[in-house]
Amino acid sequence: QNYSTPIERVRAGFQQAYGRAPTKAEMESTAKFFRAFAKDRSPETMQLTMATFCQGLISSAEFRYLF
């Protein structure tokens, strides 16, 4: 699948990592992270931001206890 927007990618990340959609609070926290981390919105920065977000998902306690 092609996830064209950051929001679609974030939702897909939660679904793939945790098997569920993100909560409203998680989406708000993620949006705050993206605003702070990817200020210039260049493709390279957005790619690094998404990679950092994904690392956060798989290093969380929730992920560790799923598997």
Side-chain angles (χ1 to χ4, degrees):
Q1 288 183 344
N2 183 15
Y3 302 104
S4 59
T5 68
I7 291 172
E8 290 173 339
R9 292 182 196 121
V10 166
R11 288 186 175 137
F14 271 89
Q15 189 63 48
Q16 292 173 9
Y18 304 147
R20 63 170 180 81
T23 65
K24 182 179 178 183
E26 288 168 333
M27 284 301 291
E28 290 170 357
S29 178
T30 301
K32 184 178 177 182
F33 165 75
F34 270 74
R35 282 191 300 272
F37 201 85
K39 290 184 182 197
D40 71 3
R41 303 276 189 224
S42 70
E44 295 82 13
T45 301
M46 290 303 292
Q47 185 176 14
L48 177 60
T49 303
M50 186 57 67
T52 303
F53 164 74
C54 291
Q55 287 175 340
L57 289 176
I58 62 173
S59 66
S60 72
E62 183 173 352
F63 183 81
R64 286 191 308 261
Y65 288 112
L66 284 174
F67 297 97

